[in-house]
Amino acid sequence: MLRKIMLVLLAGVGGYFVYKKTQQSRAEKDLWAEVADPVTPGH
């Protein structure tokens, strides 16, 4: 019983860290896309 709880808890924590890493990577990618985009006149 305790092993199952620990396994579920560990999976949840692992999933959380994967989610945070994905969000961080996406934010960095968006930032680079914004910086690298050519500037259009009048905008």
Side-chain angles (χ1 to χ4, degrees):
M1 181 67 178
L2 188 60
R3 280 187 182 172
K4 285 183 182 180
I5 293 171
M6 289 298 289
L7 188 62
V8 169
L9 187 63
L10 214 77
V13 170
Y16 172 76
F17 279 113
V18 169
Y19 171 76
K20 291 295 282 185
K21 186 69 175 172
T22 304
Q23 292 296 100
Q24 181 183 4
S25 178
R26 186 175 296 151
E28 188 174 336
K29 185 179 175 184
D30 289 346
L31 179 64
W32 276 111
E34 185 179 324
V35 171
D37 279 344
V39 178
T40 55
H43 288 256

